[in-house]
Amino acid sequence: MASNRPVPEAPSIPAQREPETFGYGAYRAEEGPWEEWNPTEDSVTPARGRHRVAKQRGGFARSSTVLGVGVIAAVGAGGMASANTGKPPVSISMPDLPSVGHLFDDGSADSGPAQQATATLSSVGTSAAEGEDTTDAGEVLRNRIMAQAEQQQGQAESKATAAALAAAEKQSAAAAAKAEQEAAAKAAEAKEKAEAAAEKAAEEKRLAELAKQYALPTSSYTLTSTFGQAGSMWSSGYHTGLDFAAPTGSLIKAVHSGTITEAGWAGSYGYRTILTLDDGTELWFCHQSSINVSAGQKVSTGEVIGRVGATGNVTGPHLHLEVHPGGQATGIDPMAWLRDKGLTP
């Protein structure tokens, strides 16, 4: 198996200056300084298969030299890649190696520029760029947090506003419904009052018209006994009519137009006249002192049909009036009937 030739060592140059600290411990002549060594195709045979690299003296210094060359090549390659691809350069952070700077020194110039260059190279993208990136990232994060907080606050305020508007709308709707109900109740009450007033007016008009057709049976009278009044003086046990006490001879008039169906003596009723109206109602005029009409005679409202007397079962002169609807035997209250006709006894 063939092996590669050992890589020739860089020539050693005796120390030309004061020993200085390099790496760990004191300065040693066999560890530098070294001239810059760049391997070429002539000096380095392409490796085939496994190969061995001869151990170099001063491993740390030689490794440092190779590291410096690699850094230069990497930086150059990065610049070429950035130029070729058109993408922004990527900042590379390099560790600070202040003691490596003299490796690139040719011995003719001061080590200050080399160390400055080394420091400049190692600080690429670590100070300003990283500071700006950190500041920008923090500012972006802060702005994002503030925006989220403002958004959440805005959403909370929007929800509160929506809830307040909903409550106000609900309250307004309730107030409107209540007002509508009150208005409807007032309108119904007003309508009811108006209808009642209209009915009353119509009834008054009707009674006024009836009053022209009906008349009280006598004048200058006093009501002494009413319908339904109990007493032993009446054979039925109660009074069946309405008594108008008046002087004997006072005129008795037809309450309404109709036909005389009976006129004569009627026992305890004395002289009695029965006037039958067009609707079949019978009006009995009792205890008369005289009768001025006869059966079958047509009379009109207010026409004289007899005179007040004290005939029959009486205690004094008066007109006993009874009302029998439809000619039935049992009568009704004459007071209510007269009032229904627009008359007030």
Side-chain angles (χ1 to χ4, degrees), residues 6-123:
V7 179
E9 296 180 359
S12 176
I13 300 176
Q16 301 294 328
R17 54 186 176 183
E18 294 294 329
E20 62 182 25
T21 303
F22 179 80
Y24 302 94
Y27 171 79
R28 289 179 290 186
E30 64 272 16
E31 292 183 353
W34 307 96
E35 290 184 357
E36 182 178 357
W37 173 72
N38 293 323
T40 62
E41 294 180 356
D42 297 336
S43 60
V44 179
T45 303
R48 296 181 179 178
R50 296 183 179 180
H51 61 278
R52 293 174 297 178
V53 179
K55 182 177 180 181
Q56 304 294 329
R57 292 182 300 171
F60 181 78
R62 191 157 300 169
S63 300
S64 300
T65 303
V66 175
L67 177 61
V69 174
V71 169
I72 294 173
V75 172
M80 293 177 63
S82 298
N84 293 333
T85 59
K87 296 182 180 179
V90 180
S91 60
I92 302 176
S93 177
M94 299 294 296
D96 292 334
L97 300 175
S99 60
V100 180
H102 69 279
L103 298 177
F104 304 97
D105 190 6
D106 56 358
S108 61
D110 190 7
S111 61
Q115 293 179 356
Q116 182 178 1
T118 304
T120 304
L121 178 62
S122 64
S123 62

Side-chain angles (χ1 to χ4, degrees), residues 221-294:
Y221 60 88
T222 301
L223 296 178
T224 55
S225 299
T226 58
F227 179 81
Q229 184 177 349
S232 59
M233 296 182 295
W234 302 288
S235 58
S236 60
Y238 65 93
H239 194 234
T240 57
L242 181 64
D243 288 350
F244 296 82
T248 301
S250 299
L251 298 178
I252 300 175
K253 302 175 183 179
V255 176
H256 189 61
S257 59
T259 303
I260 302 297
T261 56
E262 183 179 333
W265 182 261
S268 61
Y269 286 104
Y271 287 105
R272 180 183 67 178
T273 300
I274 297 178
L275 173 61
T276 302
L277 306 181
D278 295 338
D279 61 359
T281 301
E282 292 182 356
L283 303 179
W284 294 4
F285 302 87
C286 307
H287 306 307
Q288 298 181 60
S289 60
S290 63
I291 298 175
N292 294 357
V293 291
S294 59

